[in-house]
Structures are given as structure tokens and as C-alpha cells.
Amino acid sequence: MPVKKVAFISHQNCQLHDMGEHHPESPLRLKAISDELKRSELIQELTCLQAQPVTLEQIERVHPRDHVRRIRNSSPIKGTIMIDPDTALCPNSLAAADLAAGALVQAVEGVMGGHYQRAFCSVRPPGHHAELVSSMGFCVFNSIAIGVAHARQAHGINRIAILDFDVHHGNGTVDIFKDDPDVMVCSSFQHPFYPNRMHDIERDHLIFTPLAAGTDGIEFRRAIERDWLAPLEKHQPELIFISAGFDAHEEDPLASLQLNELDYVWITEMICSVAKTHAKGRIVSALEGGYHLGALARSVHAHIQSLGESCL
Ligand SMILES: [Zn+2]
């Protein structure tokens, strides 16, 4: 791997967001990832950075002020409160959400500034279910969307692609960019399945790949090639974002697709090849789902290694 061309952006306080002992979106997810990167020594080949918190101005490029205020005002002083049937806030949750979104802004700065070519944000809470005015599905703010807004506002990037291979449809990202043809959103997801929203909107810049329960890697690869490649070639994205969820893994307890680490290597290489052709190799990837700790750690390792191996 070319030395230090990939940044690994995280923060220990992302592990302080705790929705309860039995919640699958657990602080242990980030620990499992960093333990695996240390064990394999891949960590030594990465530029490791502490995430910085997002600013209110950067959040408000995406989410309306009233919504942000409502979420901030619901933060508990102790214990947890539910902001959606699946999503809780504890006293440290908003600080973690600010770091998760801030990591995306930082990744954009680093990639656009040429400090590294690619970045993986190992952060939580995830973001892709967060719609314009709803926090849901373990997500508080849409971190990827906040990164996209920063790339456009601060760096004048016009054409962007967000590639979402989490097992759940990225309804929040679709909600935010559904009327914005400069941002292509490609999303593969188990269907029918949670969240069952925003999957039947028809626009040229929204590319949806619904997959039946039980779909394996061969079928997954075929569907992605069939659906994503031609539209991406046409769109010519100048910067690529990945909503990197690993809950389509065959060992994941929340869903029923049958992918494994090699499929994550495959899709990462495919994305790298599009980035090489159109985006000067630039990729910003952020963790979304993935709930089997071992499978998550191995899959993230495979993803980051592939991001590094194909750097320009
Ligand atoms: Zn998911």
C-alpha cells in the first residue's frame, strides 16, 4: 500500500454515545474496528486523525435550524431518551454526533487539500437514515450529506456521487438530495425491509438496487454492475462518498443478505476505479451499519486495505 495515502478519522468520544446495553449499534463496534486495524498492523499505514466537531453552520447547510434546535434541546442530562423507536440519546450522544459529522468535513478538507487521497471515518452514530427533518434508524444527523455540502460550499465541487452499500436503504440521503441532480445517489439494499421509505422515487440521479433476502455475493455484484456503472460513467463525479455499511454481511444479525469480505473488496475496487477515472482518485468513506463485531472488523479492514491499494 502506498504509505499514508489513506486517512483514518475517529474519536474516542464516539464510543460514549450509548443507547443501552442491548442496542446493536453499540460503542463496541468502533473498538472492534480499531482493535482489528492494530492487530493486523494496517493502522501503521494510515494517517490517523482525531475527528473535530462539526460547526452549527456546517450542519445547517443540510438540516433546518428548527430541527437541529429540537434535537439539541432533547439531549438528556442523565439516562436516555428515545427520539425515534430505534434511536436514543444519552448525555454524550450529541457530542458524538457532532464528531461523526465533523469527521466528514475534515475528510473532505484533507482529500481536497491533497493531504491524503482517501479517508475512512470510523465514527458513530451513523447518518444515512437521517432525513432533512427526522432523526431515525440509529442516525441523528446525516453526516455524509454534511460532508457533501461542505465539498460544494468550501471547494466548489459540482458533481458528486454517494454510493451506499449498507443493507438498509439510505432514505435520509435520498430525502436530502432527491431534487439535486448534481448529487447522484446509488443505494443497494435488502427489499422489502427497513426503512421502507424513499425507495420508489424515480429520478435519473437516484439509482436504487433492491435485493431480495438471501441475495449472495455473485448476484450482488451482477446487480451493482448492471445498475451503477453506466450512470456513474455518465455522471462523472468529481468526488465520491461512500456510505459504508457492512450489515449486508452473511454473519450480520439484523439482515439477511449473504455478502462476505471479498464482496466488500470487490465493491471498493469498483468504486476506486470510477474515482480514478473521474475524481482524481478522491474518496471519502464513512461507517454506517454493521452489527456483528467480528464480521464488521474484518470487513472494514478489507475495505480500507482496498482503498489504499488502488491509490493513484
Ligand atoms: Zn444498515
Side-chain angles (χ1 to χ4, degrees):
M1 178 187 291
V3 177
K4 314 273 188 192
K5 285 205 172 180
V6 179
F8 180 79
I9 307 178
S10 193
H11 197 290
Q12 64 276 11
N13 290 356
C14 285
Q15 295 188 38
L16 298 179
H17 164 54
D18 190 347
M19 297 191 282
E21 205 182 333
H22 302 294
H23 200 293
E25 207 288 273
S26 139
L28 295 175
R29 299 174 63 232
L30 297 191
K31 183 176 177 329
I33 292 169
S34 63
D35 285 353
E36 176 66 18
L37 296 181
K38 285 177 197 153
R39 190 200 59 75
S40 66
E41 300 185 354
L42 182 59
I43 198 87
Q44 291 169 18
E45 299 176 49
L46 307 173
T47 300
C48 292
L49 300 168
Q50 289 263 308
Q52 305 290 322
V54 73
T55 66
L56 194 56
E57 186 196 336
Q58 288 162 348
I59 300 182
E60 286 180 358
R61 288 171 181 158
V62 170
H63 297 290
R65 178 165 298 186
D66 284 355
H67 171 59
V68 178
R69 197 172 288 158
R70 195 161 57 239
I71 294 294
R72 292 223 183 281
N73 289 342
S74 15
S75 181
I77 291 164
K78 58 178 186 174
T80 54
I81 64 123
M82 304 302 291
I83 52 170
D84 145 89
D86 304 308
T87 316
L89 297 181
C90 77
N92 297 312
S93 296
L94 286 180
D98 284 353
L99 289 166
L104 266 292
V105 171
Q106 200 175 337
V108 167
E109 281 297 305
V111 166
M112 293 310 301
H115 302 295
Y116 36 84
Q117 195 173 106
R118 291 167 187 169
F120 181 77
C121 303
S122 190
V123 291
R124 53 185 290 280
H128 74 150
H129 293 307
E131 298 183 353
L132 265 182
V133 293
S134 323
S135 301
M136 58 180 280
F138 314 167
C139 302
V140 178
F141 301 124
N142 197 311
S143 303
I144 282 270
I146 291 167
V148 168
H150 186 73
R152 303 172 97 184
Q153 193 117 346
H155 296 279
I157 297 286
N158 292 319
R159 292 184 317 281
I160 286 171
I162 303 173
L163 310 181
D164 184 335
F165 55 73
D166 188 278
V167 81
H168 303 97
H169 183 41
N171 61 296
T173 310
V174 170
D175 183 42
I176 291 162
F177 296 112
K178 60 184 182 300
D179 297 319
D180 193 340
D182 286 338
V183 181
M184 175 164 280
V185 181
C186 301
S187 176
S188 60
F189 50 93
Q190 184 176 325
H191 184 74
F193 201 44
Y194 183 88
N196 243 328
R197 293 160 68 88
M198 305 275 170
H199 58 278
D200 46 12
I201 307 174
E202 291 189 17
R203 308 273 159 84
D204 286 350
H205 71 292
L206 303 177
I207 311 297
F208 299 159
T209 303
L211 301 165
T215 296
D216 64 10
I218 296 171
E219 218 175 317
F220 168 78
R221 296 180 193 199
R222 204 178 288 145
I224 295 289
E225 273 180 349
R226 178 196 64 211
D227 295 350
W228 293 15
L229 283 185
L232 283 171
E233 282 303 314
K234 196 168 168 214
H235 189 63
Q236 302 187 346
E238 299 160 88
L239 178 61
I240 294 181
F241 287 80
I242 306 178
S243 264
F246 298 92
D247 40 9
H249 195 285
E250 59 193 357
E251 291 171 57
D252 198 275
L254 260 56
S256 311
L257 296 195
Q258 302 292 318
L259 305 193
N260 60 36
E261 292 89 307
L262 292 177
D263 298 308
Y264 292 119
V265 168
W266 178 85
I267 194 161
T268 307
E269 286 175 350
M270 189 281 280
I271 295 168
C272 289
S273 139
V274 176
K276 218 176 241 183
T277 310
H278 299 292
K280 300 182 182 162
R282 299 180 295 217
I283 298 175
V284 171
S285 178
L287 181 66
E288 301 284 1
Y291 304 100
H292 181 287
L293 295 180
L296 172 68
R298 295 192 307 273
S299 301
V300 169
H301 179 279
H303 174 62
I304 295 177
Q305 192 158 40
S306 301
L307 285 177
E309 278 170 358
S310 61
C311 278
L312 295 175

